[in-house]
Amino acid sequence: MKQTTLQVGGLTPMTTIDYPRELAAVIFCQGCPWRCRYCHNGHLLPRISSDPALIEWDEIIAFLEQRQGLLDAVVFSGGEPSLQIALKPAIEQVKAMGFKIGLHSAGVYPERLAELLSLLDWVGLDIKALAENYATLPGVRGSGEKAWESLQLLVASGVAYEVRTTVHPELLPAADLETLESRLQTIGAANHQLQKCNTGHCLDTTLTT
């Protein structure tokens, strides 16, 4: 059965770091089809969670009604927000309230990202590796092609964005990172930010600093 309302696994009421130069709230969407070794949000991975901490969508809207004029933006993060069919109507509802809309995504579903781009004001897109080396990270065949297709759609869209790459020497050797940066330049992708892998809360507990 399709979920008709967004499944929310968490909420950050206010942040200055999740949407550039804007005061934002972050909605953490439940569910992700990938199992990236360095993922630090393991509790958000199941599509349906029995966790009593799940937040009802009506509660999110009630919270945002109280923050109109105080917050600039709302960021949908995860998990992988585009997993949920309910994401688009949720974004439309929040945008109608006057908030700018940000999206954190791994580019898992390029066709869904394409449907959302006209509603988005900013995107933080994870590009984890070279397309041909991707599968070893999320454990899903073809994941690299999906992520890089999403990147090309984003670059062509005119929507403001940031490309983020998490760096761990075991998962992304220096030579591969150099090639990745070269490919990003080739397709015109700008604003590439590197993130150090925090192994303290990784899904793969064998990863070390």
Side-chain angles (χ1 to χ4, degrees), residues 40-88:
H40 59 273
N41 280 342
H43 64 290
L44 293 172
L45 295 181
R47 182 187 293 261
I48 303 295
S49 175
S50 58
D51 190 336
L54 278 177
I55 305 171
E56 295 293 333
W57 181 244
D58 287 346
E59 295 179 53
I60 296 293
I61 293 301
F63 164 78
L64 292 177
E65 286 174 343
Q66 297 174 352
R67 295 302 188 273
Q68 287 176 296
L70 301 175
L71 294 175
D72 305 303
V74 175
V75 178
F76 291 81
S77 189
E80 171 52 50
S82 64
L83 173 70
Q84 296 193 45
I85 299 300
L87 177 64
K88 186 177 180 180

Side-chain angles (χ1 to χ4, degrees), residues 31-189:
C32 182
W34 291 357
R35 296 295 182 266
C36 298
R37 295 176 60 188
Y38 51 57
C39 178
H40 59 273
N41 280 342
H43 64 290
L44 293 172
L45 295 181
R47 182 187 293 261
I48 303 295
S49 175
S50 58
D51 190 336
L54 278 177
I55 305 171
E56 295 293 333
W57 181 244
D58 287 346
E59 295 179 53
I60 296 293
I61 293 301
F63 164 78
L64 292 177
E65 286 174 343
Q66 297 174 352
R67 295 302 188 273
Q68 287 176 296
L70 301 175
L71 294 175
D72 305 303
V74 175
V75 178
F76 291 81
S77 189
E80 171 52 50
S82 64
L83 173 70
Q84 296 193 45
I85 299 300
L87 177 64
K88 186 177 180 180
I91 287 176
E92 291 172 333
Q93 186 175 5
V94 173
K95 193 173 185 71
M97 297 173 72
F99 296 102
K100 294 179 181 178
I101 302 296
L103 177 71
H104 292 171
S105 176
V108 179
Y109 302 104
E111 68 284 357
R112 295 182 187 176
L113 177 63
E115 294 176 355
L116 295 171
L117 283 170
S118 64
L119 298 170
L120 303 177
D121 299 291
W122 177 83
V123 177
L125 183 69
D126 292 335
I127 292 295
K128 304 174 184 296
L130 299 167
E132 60 267 28
N133 297 341
Y134 236 81
T136 59
L137 275 167
V140 177
R141 185 179 299 175
S143 50
E145 288 77 7
K146 296 289 188 183
W148 283 79
E149 181 183 349
S150 291
L151 174 62
Q152 291 179 313
L153 288 169
L154 181 58
V155 170
S157 72
V159 175
Y161 67 88
E162 176 181 282
V163 179
R164 295 97 60 90
T165 301
T166 300
V167 178
H168 187 286
E170 180 183 334
L171 304 177
L172 187 64
D176 286 355
L177 177 58
E178 184 176 346
T179 303
L180 186 153
E181 291 178 325
S182 176
R183 289 190 190 175
L184 290 175
Q185 292 176 5
T186 298
I187 67 173

